[in-house]
Amino acid sequence: MDLRQLFATNLRRVRHARKFSQEQLAHDAGVDRAYVSRVERAATYVGLEIIGKLADVLEVDPVEFFRRPSRPASRKRAE
């Protein structure tokens, strides 16, 4: 998963967890709703200023947008 897709997936996850619509997030962050949609589809690059605004509105540390999903513990092969 590339960083743009990782960011998009985590933004959508956090936004849903905080019960924000794309429209409300966009309004509060001072960006266009269509832009938020493009970001969540990984169709555009996101600048640091916007990452900061989105994190502030969603009340998360910006690093949350770049966390890789945890993987389940792998099973040991029977020997």
Side-chain angles (χ1 to χ4, degrees):
M1 182 180 298
D2 69 19
L3 284 178
R4 192 169 33 167
Q5 184 61 53
L6 180 64
F7 183 88
T9 299
N10 285 328
L11 174 61
R12 188 170 34 262
R13 177 183 53 78
V14 171
R15 180 177 63 78
H16 286 168
R18 299 286 194 270
K19 301 198 183 323
F20 273 78
S21 66
Q22 284 185 347
E23 188 172 343
Q24 187 62 48
L25 176 59
H27 178 268
D28 292 357
V31 299
D32 188 68
R33 196 230 26 105
Y35 178 74
V36 172
S37 176
R38 287 192 308 273
V39 170
E40 287 191 354
R41 289 182 285 120
T44 192
Y45 290 96
V46 183
L48 293 174
E49 183 179 347
I50 300 299
I51 291 171
K53 287 181 179 184
L54 295 171
D56 286 347
V57 170
L58 294 170
E59 298 179 341
V60 296
D61 190 309
V63 74
E64 288 301 315
F65 297 132
F66 297 99
R67 290 203 191 277
R68 298 208 181 267
S70 57
R71 294 183 180 181
S74 61
R75 295 181 181 179
K76 291 184 179 181
R77 292 185 199 182
E79 295 180 25

